[in-house]
Amino acid sequence: MIPPQEASVRRREIEDKLKQVSILSSFESRLMKLENSIIPVHKQTENLQRLQENVEKTLSCLDHVISYYHVASDTEKIIREGPTGRLEEYLGSMAKIQKAVEYFQDNSPDSPELNKVKLLFERGKEALESEFRSLMTRHSKVVSPVLILDLISGDDDLEAQEDVALEHLPESVLQDVIRISRWLVEYGRNQDFMNVYYQIRSSQLDRSIKGLKEHFHKSSSSSGVPYSPAIPNKRKDTPTKKPVKRPGRDDMLDVETDAYIHCVSAFVKLAQSEYQLLADIIPEHHQKKTFDSLIQDALDGLMLEGENIVSAARKAIVRHDFSTVLTVFPILRHLKQTKPEFDQVLQGTAASTKNKLPGLITSMETIGAKALEDFADNIKNDPDKEYNMPKDGTVHELTSNAILFLQQLLDFQETAGAMLASQETSSSATSYSSEFSKRLLSTYICKVLGNLQLNLLSKSKVYEDPALSAIFLHNNYNYILKSLEKSELIQLVAVTQKTAERSYREHIEQQIQTYQRSWLKVTDYIAEKNLPVFQPGVKLRDKERQIIKERFKGFNDGLEELCKIQKAWAIPDTEQRDRIRQAQKTIVKETYGAFLQKFGSVPFTKNPEKYIKYGVEQVGDMIDRLFDTSA
């Protein structure tokens, strides 16, 4: 049994716990009542907030919508005044108009406001197109000839090239043009400005190249010599010395050639520069087509001029004016050297554009090969006109012209070789090597020299005197050999004819011997084999005296006649002239000296001075005056 005291304590504990339970229950009940009263208020507050937000959004939308109705009046003044000098502000207004157009199209397609903003947009777009044209027209300038020449000559020095830059448009203008271009593509849905662009730039490119050509003509007419910096091509086909100019050749031909070569280089440089400018302004997928259109006028002008050169060469061939035809050679060489750059510049253009230069090169190669062929035939068939033959047996004009032509070909070895190779039908010609074309050129030169030799032989028969004929052939052969040796022609000839030099020397010696035979009729009179034999101290018979008189007279008359005739003949080569005189002098003096020694003191006549007219030294002096019209 629990003691009463302990039971009392337990009871109090239980009563305390029950009190706590009662308090908690009461608190929970009050919490529930509070919650039930607050939740509706909270919900009501949320609804009110939502309503307020909707009202604000509606008001904002209304403001936005109303703003579209004000766009026309807000922007009209700016659009009317145009974009000049305030492009950014203008484009900002155009953006507002664009958005208003889009709003009315979506929400109120029948409203008069749509027509108003659409009309304003079109007017603004036209003003931007007009500004584009105006900026391009006002600021596109022709490139000066001096600047173009600096640009071209920059190739010689790669570092210098960096310094020569063309500024087609001032930077601020360029940026405006680019902004307008991008806007017209993106928002204007318009490509007409690209046509405007290429037409303006095409005109400037064409005028720049024509200006360069005029510069050459003006410079040549004022000073007689065109301003002509070195053509920028340091390749092995470039001449190391200026070609010998044929006497009487028109200087204007050289000016035309020089001008054309520089215009070709100018086109490449200016076209490259045009593409760089165009790449900033024209959208990428329109660049190639716009560039193709832009360069057509300038390119067609160059090609037409090239074809005119071909046509002039064709007419010159008919006239046998091969000096004029030579203008094709430096031009063709330059076109072939420039072709890789040309091809690079014309990448992406139409096939018809790309094929223009190769077509001109083919025309020039064909006409050049025709000129070479006709020149060789002309050398072979040049007629033997008696009035055209040099009376003094000197070098014939045909010989000097032929050698001059061949020497000029030296400056264009690769070009001439390629011309000949281009006409070959053999399979090797399609991919001919420089060695192949060199052999062709060597064969051609040997053919010309062979034709020349045959013609000279034929011409030499015009002379009635075989000695003059020999002097003529000697002079011409000697001139050919010396000319070959002075230039690289001898090396070219040796490619296919190793013995050519020796052969010419033999021909020259042969003609000297033929000439020397002309003196036999003089020396035969006094040659020992034809003299009478008599005993010293024995009186001469009449017949013997007569023979000695005839021998002296024959020698004297022959000597005088030959000296008179041959004094008017010419041997231009001093060395050869002295050599031939000396050889002849030695033979005649020795023969005459022996004769004089034998008969000079013999009493064959009462008037010895009548027969012994010349001393040995006098005879030598007379021979020394041969081939000398001034003596």
Side-chain angles (χ1 to χ4, degrees):
M1 185 159 181
I2 300 168
Q5 196 175 4
E6 194 177 326
S8 174
V9 172
R10 293 283 297 277
R11 192 168 56 252
R12 275 201 300 277
E13 286 175 355
I14 290 166
E15 284 172 355
D16 288 341
K17 284 183 180 175
L18 285 170
K19 271 184 190 174
Q20 288 174 352
V21 169
S22 174
I23 289 165
L24 282 169
S25 296
S26 173
F27 183 68
E28 189 177 351
S29 172
R30 283 203 298 276
L31 268 175
M32 283 179 73
K33 280 180 185 177
L34 183 63
E35 190 176 321
N36 287 335
S37 65
I38 284 173
I39 283 172
V41 173
H42 178 69
K43 283 183 177 172
Q44 197 174 3
T45 305
E46 272 186 341
N47 287 336
L48 284 170
Q49 282 176 335
R50 215 166 9 251
L51 280 169
Q52 187 180 357
E53 282 172 9
N54 286 341
V55 168
E56 285 173 359
K57 279 181 183 174
T58 303
L59 286 170
S60 176
C61 281
L62 278 169
D63 286 343
H64 190 59
V65 168
I66 290 164
S67 75
Y68 287 129
Y69 284 86
H70 291 296
V71 163
S73 57
D74 289 347
T75 59
E76 190 169 12
K77 184 172 182 289
I78 293 171
I79 298 304
R80 190 174 62 249
E81 289 173 354
T84 306
R86 51 168 179 184
L87 184 61
E88 284 308 316
E89 184 187 2
Y90 195 88
L91 291 176
S93 296
M94 288 299 288
K96 288 177 186 174
I97 297 167
Q98 170 83 5
K99 283 177 182 170
V101 170
E102 288 167 359
Y103 170 79
F104 289 121
Q105 277 176 336
D106 291 343
N107 299 288
S108 185
D110 299 324
S111 71
E113 291 298 328
L114 175 59
N115 288 335
K116 201 183 284 185
V117 287
K118 275 176 90 173
L119 200 63
L120 203 55
F121 182 81
E122 285 305 313
R123 199 189 303 164
K125 187 171 86 167
E126 283 171 14
L128 283 168
E129 288 169 357
S130 178
E131 178 72 357
F132 182 88
R133 179 188 289 272
S134 174
L135 287 172
M136 289 300 304
T137 305
R138 284 202 325 268
H139 297 283
S140 286
K141 299 281 189 286
V142 171
V143 184
S144 76
V146 174
L147 189 55
I148 295 174
L149 288 169
D150 285 345
L151 192 71
I152 295 170
S153 60
D155 275 359
D156 286 341
D157 182 352
L158 293 176
E159 288 177 19
Q161 198 176 357
E162 300 301 317
D163 300 332
V164 184
L166 292 180
E167 186 186 65
H168 292 294
L169 298 171
E171 187 57 34
S172 59
V173 174
L174 177 61
Q175 291 311 317
D176 282 358
V177 168
I178 290 169
R179 291 280 287 115
I180 296 171
S181 158
R182 285 177 184 166
W183 188 92
L184 288 171
V185 171
E186 194 171 347
Y187 302 109
R189 307 282 186 271
N190 180 299
Q191 294 182 6
D192 289 347
F193 78 93
M194 296 182 207
N195 294 336
V196 169
Y197 178 87
Y198 93 68
Q199 284 161 6
I200 292 169
R201 293 307 307 169
S202 173
S203 170
Q204 299 303 339
L205 175 61
D206 196 36
R207 285 167 63 198
S208 296
I209 291 171
K210 283 177 178 163
L212 178 64
K213 187 180 174 186
E214 284 167 22
H215 172 77
F216 273 86
H217 290 159
K218 281 179 190 166
S219 300
S220 66
S221 59
S222 62
S223 65
V225 182
Y227 167 61
S228 171
I231 296 164
N233 286 301
K234 291 186 173 176
R235 298 175 171 93
K236 62 180 174 180
D237 203 27
T238 304
T240 51
K241 59 182 186 304
K242 197 166 179 64
V244 184
K245 193 185 289 185
R246 176 174 171 171
R249 179 167 167 185
D250 188 354
D251 279 345
M252 281 310 293
L253 276 177
D254 291 335
V255 176
E256 291 287 347
T257 304
D258 227 10
Y260 187 71
I261 284 171
H262 281 80
C263 286
V264 168
S265 291
F267 172 81
V268 172
K269 291 294 173 197
L270 292 175
Q272 283 170 344
S273 183
E274 284 295 342
Y275 196 86
Q276 287 164 2
L277 179 68
L278 173 142
D280 287 332
I281 298 169
I282 304 297
E284 191 174 356
H285 56 291
H286 291 286
Q287 287 173 6
K288 297 289 185 189
K289 188 170 181 247
T290 307
F291 180 69
D292 200 339
S293 303
L294 190 158
I295 60 171
Q296 284 305 316
D297 284 353
L299 183 59
D300 285 346
L302 278 180
M303 295 302 115
L304 178 63
E305 203 174 331
E307 288 299 343
N308 288 342
I309 290 165
V310 170
S311 179
R314 195 173 285 116
K315 289 172 186 168
I317 291 171
V318 173
R319 298 193 308 270
H320 299 306
D321 178 8
F322 296 101
S323 169
T324 300
V325 179
L326 279 168
T327 58
V328 170
F329 285 70
I331 291 170
L332 176 58
R333 176 180 65 194
H334 188 68
L335 289 179
K336 290 174 86 169
Q337 289 172 345
T338 315
K339 188 175 177 292
E341 284 182 277
F342 241 99
D343 292 345
Q344 197 174 7
V345 169
L346 300 183
Q347 268 180 350
T349 56
S352 58
T353 304
K354 287 179 188 166
N355 291 336
K356 284 179 180 175
L357 180 68
L360 179 59
I361 286 174
T362 301
S363 291
M364 287 199 168
E365 283 200 321
T366 305
I367 201 68
K370 174 88 169 74
L372 291 174
E373 181 191 334
D374 280 31
F375 179 77
D377 289 345
N378 189 55
I379 294 296
K380 184 179 181 180
N381 301 318
D382 183 68
D384 303 324
K385 295 175 182 169
E386 287 187 39
Y387 63 82
N388 200 30
M389 291 295 288
K391 290 184 170 52
D392 59 0
T394 191
V395 177
H396 198 281
E397 188 186 8
L398 182 72
T399 304
S400 54
N401 285 349
I403 292 298
L404 178 61
F405 186 84
L406 295 179
Q407 283 172 336
Q408 287 174 316
L409 282 190
L410 274 180
D411 292 328
F412 309 101
Q413 290 182 42
E414 288 186 15
T415 307
M419 278 177 181
L420 296 165
S422 71
Q423 305 307 301
E424 288 288 305
T425 51
S426 62
S427 57
S428 59
T430 52
S431 58
Y432 54 82
S433 64
S434 60
E435 193 55 41
F436 175 71
S437 59
K438 193 172 185 179
R439 287 191 70 78
L440 282 178
L441 184 58
S442 173
T443 303
Y444 172 77
I445 290 169
C446 292
K447 177 184 175 183
V448 170
L449 292 173
N451 288 354
L452 178 60
Q453 195 171 329
L454 287 171
N455 199 323
L456 290 170
L457 270 170
S458 173
K459 286 186 187 323
S460 71
K461 293 181 172 66
V462 168
Y463 296 113
E464 291 176 8
D465 189 333
L468 180 54
S469 181
I471 289 295
F472 170 76
L473 288 175
H474 161 274
N475 283 333
N476 282 272
Y477 291 156
N478 184 60
Y479 178 84
I480 293 167
L481 178 61
K482 287 284 170 71
S483 301
L484 292 179
E485 287 175 334
K486 272 185 210 163
S487 63
E488 291 173 38
L489 279 170
I490 197 70
Q491 286 95 314
L492 258 179
V493 167
V495 171
T496 52
Q497 279 196 16
K498 299 274 188 281
T499 59
E501 196 173 350
R502 192 179 75 206
S503 176
Y504 273 112
R505 291 196 191 288
E506 286 171 0
H507 286 316
I508 290 165
E509 287 309 313
Q510 195 181 332
Q511 297 312 319
I512 291 173
Q513 287 168 20
T514 304
Y515 161 73
Q516 285 174 339
R517 283 200 287 275
S518 70
W519 281 85
L520 287 175
K521 63 183 178 184
V522 177
T523 54
D524 271 1
Y525 279 107
I526 56 173
E528 197 168 343
K529 60 181 180 178
N530 297 327
L531 294 176
V533 179
F534 60 91
Q535 295 297 321
V538 178
K539 189 181 176 185
L540 293 173
R541 296 196 298 271
D542 287 350
K543 187 180 178 185
E544 287 171 337
R545 283 198 299 274
Q546 190 58 36
I547 289 172
I548 294 169
K549 285 177 187 177
E550 283 172 6
R551 295 290 183 267
F552 268 110
K553 188 176 187 309
F555 173 77
N556 292 337
D557 291 350
L559 176 69
E560 288 163 5
E561 185 190 358
L562 276 192
C563 285
K564 184 184 173 186
I565 293 169
Q566 294 185 7
K567 179 185 160 190
W569 295 355
I571 298 179
D573 186 323
T574 314
E575 195 182 317
Q576 285 292 98
R577 185 167 67 231
D578 291 346
R579 187 182 149 219
I580 290 170
R581 278 176 182 162
Q582 190 57 47
Q584 203 55 56
K585 195 161 70 168
T586 302
I587 295 167
V588 177
K589 278 174 73 177
E590 279 179 7
T591 313
Y592 184 60
F595 176 74
L596 204 55
Q597 191 177 5
K598 194 164 189 179
F599 295 101
S601 55
V602 172
F604 65 91
T605 176
K606 290 177 183 171
N607 302 307
E609 65 280 357
K610 181 182 174 183
Y611 297 99
I612 307 172
K613 291 171 73 174
Y614 303 106
V616 174
E617 291 308 316
Q618 267 182 296
V619 169
D621 290 343
M622 288 169 76
I623 294 172
D624 270 337
R625 288 195 290 275
L626 297 179
F627 319 117
D628 186 359
T629 50
S630 66

